[in-house]
Amino acid sequence: MKAEPGTLETRQAWHSLDLAGLLAHLGATDRGLSGEEAARRLGQYGPNRLPEHEPPAWWMIGLRQFKSPLIYILLVAAAVSLVIDHAVDAVFIGFVVTMNALIGGFQEWKAEQSSQALQKLLHIQTWVERDGHRIQLDAEDLVPGDIVSLESGNRVPADIRLLEVNGVEVDESLLTGESVAVTKNPVWTGGADTPVGDRVNMVFAGSTVVRGRARGVVVSTGSHTAIGEIATDVLRVGGGRAPLLDRMERFTRVIAVAVLLASVVVAVGGILLRGYSPEDMFLFAVALAVSAIPEGLPVAMTVALAIATTRMARRGVIVRQLAAVEGLGSCTLIASDKTGTLTCNELTVRRVVLADGRTWDVSGEGYAGEGAFVAADGTDRDDGLDPLLEAVTLCNEAELRPENDAWTWRGDPTEVALLSAAWKHGVQREALLEAHPQVASIPFEPEAQYAATFHDGAVAAQGVSSGNSVHVFVKGAPERVMGMCDLTDAERTHAREIAESMATDGLRVLAVASGTAPRDGIRPLEGTGGVDAPNHLTLLGFTGMIDPLRAGAAEAVAACRASGIEVCMITGDHPVTALAIARELGLAVSEDEVVSGPDVTAASPEERMDMMRRARVFARIAPRQKLELVEAAQTAGHYVAVTGDGVNDAPALRQANIGVAMGASGTDVARDAAELVITDDNFATIVGGIEEGRVAFDNVRKVIYLALSTGLAEVLMLGAVIVAGWPMTPDGLFILPLLPVQILWLNLVTNGIQDVALAFEPAEGDVLARRPRPPGERIFNRLMVERSVLAALFMSVAGLVAFWWMLDVAEWTVEASRNGLLLLVVLFQNLHIGNVRSETRSIFRLSPLKSPVLMFGVLLAFSIHMLAMHVPLLQRALGTEPVSLEQFAALFVVAMGIILVMELHKLIWRYRHATN
């Protein structure tokens, strides 16, 4: 039945229809559409564009920096400060919020400058048949029913059902993850549920024709294409959340509730126990809340993450969103793409086996003539290799050559890989062709399953061609090539066993043969269509190819697993190939550990969760199935990092807690969907990212620990004086130990500088040896609670005792006593930061020279406060004044107590941890 334009189903199984039914369904002919009909369909379908969203404007990125509960609290505190006429407090808080927005906004604005990647894939020109003429137009103007011509090097502009092909092979790796180009066959039809990678009568938008010519009819455009469905999924998926965001939101809620509760308790206590008026206690409670909030924390955290982005960039990891910095360090599962991430995405001959069984392993990676042949029997013999390598070099249409300290190549990846292997043994195509010119060829056709070339001249170890015969060299599918060879039953059985063994190891196997053919049985080169199929050939042997592991990939997987991070491989490749790579990586051993795409589709959500717990290899996985697997892993309690480089990876990258895209060979679509980008496409670089992510999280915890322990000490001091009803002036006015402006000075200036300096702390040395923190663990765990409370209790008690001694025993004035207490707290902060540098290691084992930025920050913070005690303008604003050397020494001795107390707690904690 003919379909009306605009009503074609998004998921129509075009590959399963016969050609007559297909054209009828499209309302088209094999001669194309008329211009009038094309214009009408364009109006109903719309342009051949993919769904997209505009990148956020700079002001939207800026507003996004204010979407934090802690920022909300600070803004409320600033507003209340203005209402109660504490303008200085409001200005300080406003400065903090503004600086935080500027730092975070600038970082994210730079990352959002990438262009809209999905749309780029379709901004191409294509040849179309309209009104009986072949014209070139923009791919955006294509409509279903158009007849399109394609040739080698073209990017496919839409989803197309093929009508005619001539040796067509298409690179669909960006959709399927399959590293090997797919040979197309327009006669084939398959079932409706055939995976995209196996639909050999179709070509898909965004893929690339690497060989041959084709003609086909457009069946889907825009969002109805395979890429369009992925684009829709990318826009639909809201995106996973970085672990830091979840933990900080929980932490901020706790802080907000604690500050509000403490303020209310103190205010009610003052009214009920001390008889203060509700008005006075309200103002005091507001001042207490403002002072208790760690104003410098947002800036310090943002700077800590920004510093981590710089460190990660040096190690090849580009951060697109600040909150994702520590995500790799917190992830518990990495779901990695295979092609281009764990492997090189460049076919490489890994094994050569001669017909008599002699075997060589081939070293080297990718499309380069660098490597060597190593005999499997351990000998240095290489006799017998020349005939096979000369055969695959002459039966070849690709090019490979060194240029300017690099290798350049052109042609089919399989043929380039064969030339690379020949180079490693000193066999070069140009020299061979000069001595033995090609006179005819049989191009590879899917139906024939082989390619052949015919040459004049003598070839080493091949014999001499006479005037009535030429040499023929053949490569192709093992069964097809062996059928052309003169083999005994025993020889044929032996050859079949060799090929099957290589295939079981995940190698793509080609058989190679040579022989002679009568010259009168072929036509000149320009007339190759009439060449007879060769026969009576000699089987030379087999080549086994695979997309090899990237250097260091296996070690990186082992390092991840040693760090408590599980790794699974999700690929569009065939299960046999995937298992072979997984064995090299140490991920899997047997076929039972491999899950295929149809199994995922048939499984329930609970069964998918079980798959993610037990399996580590997922093969023949479509984009939507990969998305479902990521969702299942998250439901099972994992923080998931997903790596990928193709369009097919984009939905899963967006859904993951942390999306990691490949920067060198990856698509813009993948990079746009991810939070992190690996510049060298090497999975091994992820290990460096994990380490820096964990260091970043450690430093964020240190900043929070310092800010909260000192802030809690201030709250306890203020709360204690209310409960105690002391000190009071003779006329009954309550005396605050520290003024709100002094507390803001501590939180923002002196303590704030140290917070930022903590962001530069290097790794403690055991980062990768630790297990990931449990996904549900709060950023403020039991250790931090104990440390913060203990430090705050000591500082508050010591501070109040010192304030009492200065005020009542030494009979200092109220202003001088506050000045002394302010200096003591500054000293506490400067010394306590040494305790904060490690949660478990002694301060005496941490050299300050290993953290020069922190040492400079401490000196700077202390110098600024000393300046505030001597500069008249700051003296008036803060109520400060100089102290004598004796007074300073006494306060310093008191402050040293914080080191002794925390060292004792570290010792006890290490003992408890060792015995548990």
Side-chain angles (χ1 to χ4, degrees):
M1 176 179 178
K2 177 179 175 180
E4 291 298 322
T7 64
L8 300 178
E9 301 91 332
T10 301
R11 299 183 181 278
Q12 172 67 45
W14 303 108
H15 60 282
S16 65
L17 301 178
D18 62 78
L19 289 179
L22 172 77
L23 293 174
H25 197 92
L26 289 168
T29 70
D30 61 359
R31 294 184 300 275
L33 302 173
S34 66
E36 180 182 355
E37 175 64 15
R40 186 172 74 87
R41 294 192 181 196
L42 185 64
Q44 296 206 10
Y45 286 118
N48 180 28
R49 296 176 186 156
L50 300 177
E52 57 186 336
H53 60 79
E54 294 292 332
W58 64 268
W59 57 269
M60 292 180 64
I61 296 175
L63 286 178
R64 198 157 59 200
Q65 309 309 309
F66 293 89
K67 294 177 64 175
S68 164
L70 186 57
I71 297 298
Y72 299 155
I73 295 173
L74 290 177
L75 291 175
V76 171
V80 173
S81 298
L82 286 174
V83 170
I84 63 176
D85 203 25
H86 286 194
V88 175
D89 298 354
V91 170
F92 271 143
I93 294 174
F95 174 76
V96 169
V97 172
T98 302
M99 286 299 298
N100 180 72
L102 288 175
I103 295 171
F106 179 71
Q107 182 74 23
E108 292 193 17
W109 176 80
K110 288 195 302 180
E112 289 289 348
Q113 295 310 296
S114 60
S115 58
Q116 298 180 58
L118 285 166
Q119 193 62 26
K120 279 186 176 180
L121 286 175
L122 293 184
H123 280 170
I124 52 179
Q125 296 285 311
T126 189
W127 288 99
V128 182
E129 297 177 24
R130 293 270 178 92
D131 292 316
H133 300 287
R134 190 169 179 264
I135 62 173
Q136 191 174 39
L137 49 72
D138 195 286
E140 288 190 359
D141 296 328
L142 285 179
V143 296
D146 268 328
I147 301 297
V148 174
S149 297
L150 300 169
E151 62 182 29
S152 178
N154 286 167
R155 176 168 285 164
V156 179
D159 284 4
I160 296 172
R161 171 70 182 269
L162 296 172
L163 302 176
E164 304 168 9
V165 301
N166 182 11
V168 169
E169 294 183 5
V170 180
D171 178 3
E172 297 177 347
S173 59
L174 86 168
L175 273 172
T176 65
E178 184 81 56
S179 56
V180 178
V182 180
T183 301
K184 295 300 179 177
N185 178 5
V187 179
W188 175 91
T189 55
D193 58 349
T194 303
V196 169
D198 294 333
R199 298 176 187 178
V200 295
N201 62 359
M202 297 277 298
V203 290
F204 300 96
S207 57
T208 303
V209 179
V210 297
R211 182 176 180 177
R213 296 173 179 271
R215 183 171 173 268
V217 58
V218 174
V219 295
S220 300
T221 60
S223 60
H224 286 217
T225 63
I227 281 182
E229 293 183 17
I230 295 173
T232 302
D233 284 339
V234 171
L235 297 181
R236 176 183 62 82
V237 175
R241 289 176 57 83
L244 184 63
L245 290 178
D246 292 332
R247 287 170 170 148
M248 283 307 300
E249 286 196 0
R250 291 197 300 263
F251 166 73
T252 304
R253 286 194 294 269
V254 171
I255 289 296
V257 171
V259 168
L260 179 62
L261 184 61
S263 300
V264 171
V265 169
V266 170
V268 172
I271 295 171
L272 299 180
L273 300 178
R274 302 303 166 196
Y276 296 120
S277 67
E279 294 79 6
D280 289 340
M281 280 296 95
F282 173 76
L283 295 177
F284 182 81
V286 170
L288 177 63
V290 171
S291 65
I293 296 172
E295 293 86 357
L297 184 56
V299 171
M301 282 185 52
T302 302
V303 170
L305 297 179
I307 294 301
T309 64
T310 302
R311 289 179 174 174
M312 293 178 87
R314 293 194 194 108
R315 304 184 72 163
V317 183
I318 303 301
V319 178
R320 297 186 65 243
Q321 295 182 15
L322 279 182
V325 167
E326 61 82 44
L328 274 181
S330 294
C331 72
T332 59
L333 174 69
I334 298 178
S336 177
D337 180 36
K338 179 187 75 70
T339 305
T341 305
L342 293 168
T343 64
C344 299
N345 197 19
E346 294 181 348
L347 280 176
T348 301
V349 175
R350 268 285 171 259
R351 190 182 306 166
V352 172
V353 184
L354 299 186
D356 61 10
R358 284 179 292 165
T359 302
W360 284 265
D361 293 322
V362 188
S363 63
E365 297 175 359
Y367 302 143
E370 299 167 354
F373 283 74
V374 180
D377 60 7
T379 67
D380 294 331
R381 294 181 58 192
D382 61 1
D383 56 302
L385 276 174
D386 282 343
L388 183 145
L389 294 178
E390 289 173 352
V392 297
T393 301
L394 289 170
C395 185
N396 202 303
E397 297 180 359
E399 295 179 5
L400 176 69
R401 60 173 59 89
E403 287 185 4
N404 302 322
D405 298 326
W407 290 85
T408 61
W409 58 274
R410 180 195 63 79
D412 178 76
T414 299
E415 298 197 330
V416 176
L418 293 171
L419 290 183
S420 172
W423 263 94
K424 296 170 185 178
H425 196 61
V427 178
Q428 300 176 20
R429 177 171 166 77
E430 290 77 7
L432 280 176
L433 281 177
E434 185 175 346
H436 316 290
Q438 181 175 323
V439 296
S441 68
I442 300 177
F444 181 86
E445 295 286 350
E447 298 83 0
Q449 294 186 312
Y450 76 95
T453 57
F454 300 80
H455 299 261
D456 272 331
V459 183
Q462 301 287 338
V464 179
S465 59
S466 67
N468 296 324
S469 64
V470 293
H471 273 289
V472 57
F473 302 98
V474 177
K475 68 178 187 295
E479 285 297 328
R480 183 69 178 94
V481 173
M482 285 189 291
M484 302 177 180
C485 297
D486 293 331
L487 298 170
T488 66
D489 290 343
E491 289 172 336
R492 190 175 303 278
T493 300
H494 180 58
R496 187 179 296 113
E497 290 173 350
I498 292 174
E500 290 176 353
S501 174
M502 295 173 73
T504 302
D505 290 338
L507 297 172
R508 185 188 184 200
V509 183
L510 288 180
V512 184
S514 70
T516 59
R519 186 178 295 275
D520 56 8
I522 65 170
R523 298 180 184 178
L525 187 58
E526 59 269 18
T528 58
V531 177
D532 296 328
N535 52 42
H536 301 298
L537 302 179
T538 299
L539 181 66
L540 299 177
F542 304 89
T543 63
M545 305 180 201
I546 198 167
D547 183 8
L549 291 183
R550 283 188 173 275
E555 293 79 4
V557 169
C560 288
R561 299 178 78 173
S563 300
I565 301 172
E566 290 296 327
V567 180
C568 68
M569 182 173 69
I570 303 179
T571 178
D573 263 352
H574 191 279
V576 172
T577 304
L579 180 57
I581 294 295
R583 284 171 175 158
E584 289 191 62
L585 288 167
L587 283 178
V589 176
S590 67
E591 296 179 1
D592 296 338
E593 300 172 87
V594 180
V595 174
S596 64
D599 296 331
V600 174
T601 300
S604 65
E606 293 74 19
E607 289 171 332
R608 291 192 196 111
M609 289 170 58
D610 182 63
M611 288 177 180
M612 294 306 297
R613 293 189 186 101
R614 63 177 177 81
R616 286 296 169 260
V617 181
F618 299 86
R620 274 292 187 257
I621 299 297
R624 188 155 297 181
Q625 293 165 342
K626 187 170 184 176
L627 176 63
E628 291 170 345
L629 289 173
V630 172
E631 291 172 340
Q634 291 172 324
T635 305
H638 280 292
Y639 271 132
V640 183
V642 170
T643 74
D645 59 355
V647 177
N648 59 314
D649 300 312
L653 288 169
R654 179 66 64 88
Q655 174 63 34
N657 297 95
I658 301 295
V660 184
M662 301 299 107
S665 62
T667 61
D668 289 338
V669 182
R671 290 192 288 270
D672 189 58
E675 290 82 17
L676 303 177
V677 178
I678 304 298
T679 58
D680 61 1
D681 290 10
N682 197 336
F683 185 86
T685 302
I686 294 177
V687 176
I690 291 172
E691 182 177 10
E692 294 299 342
R694 291 187 177 184
V695 171
F697 184 66
D698 287 348
N699 289 348
V700 167
R701 280 171 58 90
K702 292 170 186 177
V703 168
I704 293 174
Y705 173 25
L706 179 65
L708 287 190
S709 58
T710 53
L712 181 59
E714 296 157 11
V715 171
L716 292 176
M717 279 193 287
L718 295 176
V721 295
I722 287 291
V723 174
W726 173 92
M728 303 277 289
T729 63
D731 54 357
L733 295 177
F734 182 74
I735 299 174
L736 285 173
L738 293 172
L739 298 173
V741 69
Q742 292 174 327
I743 294 177
L744 282 172
W745 171 262
L746 289 170
N747 290 351
L748 180 59
V749 182
T750 59
N751 202 24
I753 292 174
Q754 297 171 5
D755 288 345
V756 173
L758 273 175
F760 292 84
E761 273 289 280
E764 294 183 29
D766 61 344
V767 176
L768 290 178
R770 300 185 224 143
R771 309 288 295 178
R773 296 183 185 276
E777 179 182 278
R778 298 178 181 274
I779 197 168
F780 205 60
N781 61 7
R782 178 177 176 179
L783 175 60
M784 287 188 69
V785 170
E786 288 188 18
R787 290 275 167 79
S788 297
V789 171
L790 181 60
L793 282 172
F794 177 81
M795 287 187 284
S796 60
V797 171
L800 285 176
V801 171
F803 187 66
W804 165 81
W805 183 89
M806 290 181 283
L807 193 63
D808 289 356
V809 178
E811 296 183 346
W812 294 5
T813 64
V814 172
E815 291 75 15
S817 300
R818 284 176 176 153
N819 177 66
L821 179 58
L822 183 62
L823 176 58
L824 176 62
V825 176
V826 169
L827 290 170
F828 274 140
Q829 291 176 345
N830 280 271
L831 293 171
H832 186 43
I833 200 168
N835 300 320
V836 174
R837 290 183 64 194
S838 176
E839 296 180 2
T840 57
R841 300 175 67 185
S842 168
I843 188 175
F844 301 111
R845 298 180 61 188
L846 300 171
S847 172
L849 298 179
K850 290 185 177 180
S851 188
V853 176
L854 183 60
M855 184 170 63
F856 175 77
V858 170
L859 294 175
L860 178 62
F862 184 72
S863 299
I864 289 176
H865 186 74
M866 295 303 293
L867 193 67
M869 294 172 63
H870 292 83
V871 175
L873 180 62
L874 292 175
Q875 286 177 332
R876 289 192 296 273
L878 297 172
T880 55
E881 60 185 48
V883 297
S884 67
L885 184 60
E886 292 79 7
Q887 293 169 337
F888 178 85
L891 294 173
F892 184 81
V893 170
V894 174
M896 283 292 294
I898 189 63
I899 292 180
L900 299 177
V901 170
M902 300 316 296
E903 281 295 299
L904 179 61
H905 185 269
K906 286 183 180 180
L907 182 63
I908 296 172
W909 180 269
R910 288 196 298 269
Y911 174 77
R912 284 162 48 191
H913 184 72
T915 56
N916 287 342

